[in-house]
Amino acid sequence: MLTYRRSLNCARSFGKFVVCSWKELVSVVFQVTANGVGLLDPGSETNSVEQGAKIDVTFWLAQELYLREAASINLPMHFNQKTRKEVQADPECVDLRSRCPYFYELGYKIAPMVADKELGTFISLTFNGRYKEILSKSHGAAFAAVPKFLPRLTKEETNLYEAARNSMIAFKEWRLGVSRLEGASVLGRKRKPIIEREEEGPMLKKLYNGENVPISIFTGELLQDPYAIS
Amino acid sequence: MAGQSDPHVSLFSPAEIEFFAEDEMVDIVPNLRVEALNMICGDYGPFTPQIPAKVPLWLAVALKKRGKCAIRPPEWMSVERLTQVLEAERDSSREFQPLPFHYVEITKLLFHFAQDDIPDMYLVKSMVEDIRDVRFHKVELGLETFTNRTQAVKLKNLSAMEANIIRPFSVRALQAFYKHDIPDVASQTAATVNRPSMADRGPRRTLRPR
């Protein structure tokens, strides 16, 4: 039985895109027969995967199988000739997100494992071609108009775009506003004697996901763990 | 240094840059007698009416808000100097003119708090805006020249606020370019006999031309 557990410690050294791109599906061809993992192959009758079977697994599993020489990785269809031709024609209009949101990460990792030497160059060229477009749109564009090409960007490109947009927005806000003083978030309302406040019920703080969690009126820290499974 | 997993790559908010800018010294002309101020960072004063004094910008703004002084705008903020700077910025397409490091923040604070102390305030304001636009346009032109081979970027005479605006974007862009360069190295080591055309990529450009 091929068991595999991922250590979460190594996730700390990766960026968030690297971690998320591990979950992408790639198709592999098994070079050996694997017993006990029939779960992976929806078409198998026995609880095993036959040699030569072509199934889709997540990328982290595919990489491990490749390293142990148990499977060979097929190039995902996002990187095939059709996409390459489209990118050569007009890199900015190719909708990479619908193909693969972690296009660059996946390509960068698969490149050493797949029998395709052009992949790395292709990835670089795609990024080069789209970079100028991201640059020009992100810094100066009007904020109300969401550019049409935004849904076409992969997660990494969106990250880049958002970084520039946010810093530009922060700068414009600063230019218009003056006062730097903000009320402390703990002081939600006028101060009342503590006894009255306790009668009204605990002071609630709204979390970013919409939940209300009680907080201490003295220190402002959460009195209830928002992540605890109740 | 902000880690890669930090969604807010920008290290400083504009308000924090403004905070740093407030340490710059400006000239004030007090109109009331103010006794010496003993602060942690130093002693300022005593201030005698109509005798100019040099104080940090934060103190000047505080005194101005209380109506105790008039702020004298710095020499570089006159219409003549700004016109010269604007002409020079428009003429050179790649270089930035030397300006005070915090000119954006200082002008913003003075426009807000010391409007009556600046002669031709609207003209000065519009000129500073124009200078800012021209410089930022040059910054964007320079950012377009990033490629795989960009190893370092040098921007001479860039001001604090401009650097802060492009910091998150350029850092992430350079990281992305650096990362996507690696697969070529991997494919190169795999095919030892058939070397791809890496040698004729062009000379490595270590610095962006100023």
Side-chain angles (χ1 to χ4, degrees), chain A residues 95 119 156 159 162 165 215 226:
Chain A
D95 188 354
L119 187 59
E156 301 101 342
N159 192 33
E162 287 299 314
R165 265 284 282 268
I215 60 172

Side-chain angles (χ1 to χ4, degrees), chain A residues 12-18 104-105 107-109 111-112 116-125 127-128 131-132 134-136 138-140 156 158-164 166-168 170-180, chain B residues 4-10 14-16 18-19 22 104-105 108-109 112-113 129 132 136 140-141 143-148 161 164-174 176-177 179-184 186-188 190-191 201:
Chain A
R12 234 189 291 130
S13 59
F14 291 175
K16 60 182 175 188
F17 300 124
V18 177
Y104 297 108
E105 275 298 330
Y108 156 68
K109 289 219 204 59
D116 188 350
K117 300 294 171 265
E118 302 294 314
L119 187 59
T121 330
F122 168 59
I123 301 259
S124 307
L125 285 174
F127 186 66
N128 275 359
Y131 165 73
K132 285 212 176 83
I134 301 176
L135 165 68
S136 59
S138 63
H139 269 293
E156 301 101 342
T158 316
N159 192 33
L160 206 55
Y161 176 86
E162 287 299 314
N166 290 342
S167 75
M168 203 61 187
F171 170 68
K172 293 226 153 96
E173 267 181 31
W174 168 80
R175 212 154 57 89
L176 299 172
V178 180
S179 171
R180 290 203 300 265
Chain B
Q4 278 184 348
S5 52
D6 187 353
H8 308 292
V9 174
S10 175
E16 287 164 351
E18 187 186 11
F19 189 70
E22 285 180 339
V104 181
E105 302 88 88
K108 184 219 170 198
L109 282 170
H112 198 269
F113 291 112
E129 289 289 320
R132 224 172 33 80
F136 197 71
E140 283 185 342
L141 280 180
L143 286 181
E144 274 181 20
T145 63
F146 279 10
T147 65
N148 288 6
M161 189 55 76
N164 193 51
I165 291 175
I166 62 166
R167 182 181 296 128
F169 180 81
S170 46
V171 163
R172 284 191 187 173
L174 284 173
F177 274 119
K179 221 162 56 159
H180 299 136
D181 207 21
I182 303 290
D184 301 330
S187 66
Q188 189 185 26
R201 270 281 189 96

Side-chain angles (χ1 to χ4, degrees), chain A:
Chain A
M1 172 80 173
L2 197 70
T3 56
Y4 179 77
R5 270 198 85 68
R6 238 177 110 59
S7 159
L8 281 180
N9 283 336
C10 65
R12 234 189 291 130
S13 59
F14 291 175
K16 60 182 175 188
F17 300 124
V18 177
V19 173
C20 292
S21 66
W22 289 113
K23 295 189 287 198
E24 293 284 333
L25 292 176
V26 295
S27 88
V28 299
V29 174
F30 269 75
Q31 308 291 334
V32 299
T33 313
N35 290 324
V37 288
L39 214 58
L40 295 174
D41 188 4
S44 74
E45 300 91 24
T46 63
N47 191 18
S48 64
V49 176
E50 299 299 319
Q51 179 176 4
K54 182 161 168 290
I55 55 178
D56 291 332
V57 295
T58 53
F59 179 64
W60 52 266
L61 188 56
Q63 192 188 37
E64 284 300 312
L65 293 173
Y66 176 81
L67 289 175
R68 290 160 208 255
E69 297 181 4
S72 69
I73 303 188
N74 294 339
L75 192 65
M77 55 169 217
H78 324 296
F79 303 103
N80 62 4
Q81 280 303 109
K82 182 160 162 290
T83 319
R84 282 179 210 214
K85 287 211 168 63
E86 284 184 24
V87 166
Q88 271 173 0
D90 191 358
E92 293 138 17
C93 293
V94 179
D95 188 354
L96 287 184
R97 183 189 281 192
S98 65
R99 294 212 167 94
C100 179
Y102 296 100
F103 186 80
Y104 297 108
E105 275 298 330
L106 202 56
Y108 156 68
K109 289 219 204 59
I110 278 193
M113 294 193 268
V114 148
D116 188 350
K117 300 294 171 265
E118 302 294 314
L119 187 59
T121 330
F122 168 59
I123 301 259
S124 307
L125 285 174
T126 321
F127 186 66
N128 275 359
R130 291 162 72 98
Y131 165 73
K132 285 212 176 83
E133 182 74 13
I134 301 176
L135 165 68
S136 59
K137 289 266 167 61
S138 63
H139 269 293
F143 303 126
V146 177
K148 278 197 286 272
F149 84 125
L150 198 56
R152 292 190 224 128
L153 299 178
T154 67
K155 292 267 168 72
E156 301 101 342
E157 290 167 340
T158 316
N159 192 33
L160 206 55
Y161 176 86
E162 287 299 314
R165 265 284 282 268
N166 290 342
S167 75
M168 203 61 187
I169 290 175
F171 170 68
K172 293 226 153 96
E173 267 181 31
W174 168 80
R175 212 154 57 89
L176 299 172
V178 180
S179 171
R180 290 203 300 265
L181 301 175
E182 296 173 359
S185 53
V186 178
L187 305 170
R189 44 199 180 164
K190 264 162 63 163
R191 305 194 91 120
K192 289 188 214 171
I194 294 175
I195 299 174
E196 279 182 27
R197 253 190 269 180
E198 277 182 355
E199 282 169 356
E200 285 178 3
M203 193 166 194
L204 294 177
K205 173 178 167 153
K206 200 177 176 80
L207 292 183
Y208 64 89
N209 57 359
E211 290 176 9
N212 280 332
V213 174
I215 60 172
S216 156
I217 52 177
F218 296 106
T219 60
E221 56 184 30
L222 302 174
L223 291 175
Q224 179 185 315
D225 186 1
Y227 301 117
I229 301 171
S230 54

Side-chain angles (χ1 to χ4, degrees), chain B residues 5-196:
Chain B
S5 52
D6 187 353
H8 308 292
V9 174
S10 175
L11 295 179
F12 301 113
S13 71
E16 287 164 351
I17 303 275
E18 187 186 11
F19 189 70
F20 294 136
E22 285 180 339
D23 276 335
E24 302 281 326
M25 303 300 268
V26 290
D27 289 324
I28 61 163
V29 178
N31 50 16
L32 295 177
R33 176 170 293 274
V34 181
E35 67 274 7
L37 298 164
N38 304 107
M39 312 257 186
I40 296 174
C41 54
D43 300 329
Y44 304 109
F47 301 112
T48 328
Q50 312 311 325
I51 307 285
K54 250 185 165 15
V55 292
L57 187 56
W58 55 267
L59 185 54
V61 166
L63 289 175
K64 176 77 184 175
K65 273 203 252 188
R66 287 159 179 78
K68 297 201 172 159
C69 75
I71 304 185
R72 213 189 266 171
E75 313 75 57
W76 54 267
M77 234 167 111
S78 64
V79 178
E80 300 84 31
R81 277 297 324 262
L82 287 176
T83 322
Q84 282 174 3
V85 169
L86 186 56
E87 295 293 314
E89 289 278 356
R90 285 190 173 139
D91 288 337
S92 67
S93 65
R94 310 218 57 155
E95 287 191 2
F96 298 102
Q97 298 306 309
L99 271 176
F101 187 50
H102 291 283
Y103 80 94
V104 181
E105 302 88 88
I106 297 179
T107 50
K108 184 219 170 198
L109 282 170
L110 290 184
F111 288 146
H112 198 269
F113 291 112
Q115 279 169 3
D116 39 348
D117 295 331
I118 306 173
D120 300 323
M121 194 205 76
Y122 290 109
L123 193 55
V124 172
K125 201 169 184 176
S126 70
M127 298 198 71
V128 169
E129 289 289 320
D130 289 339
I131 292 177
R132 224 172 33 80
D133 282 335
V134 172
R135 285 168 70 103
F136 197 71
H137 185 64
K138 280 192 214 171
V139 165
E140 283 185 342
L141 280 180
L143 286 181
E144 274 181 20
T145 63
F146 279 10
T147 65
N148 288 6
R149 289 294 173 215
T150 309
Q151 306 226 322
V153 176
K154 182 166 176 171
L155 293 144
K156 200 169 168 219
N157 292 330
L158 198 65
S159 76
M161 189 55 76
E162 290 159 0
N164 193 51
I165 291 175
I166 62 166
R167 182 181 296 128
F169 180 81
S170 46
V171 163
R172 284 191 187 173
L174 284 173
Q175 279 175 355
F177 274 119
Y178 175 71
K179 221 162 56 159
H180 299 136
D181 207 21
I182 303 290
D184 301 330
V185 177
S187 66
Q188 189 185 26
T189 52
T192 48
V193 175
N194 181 20
R195 287 185 75 91

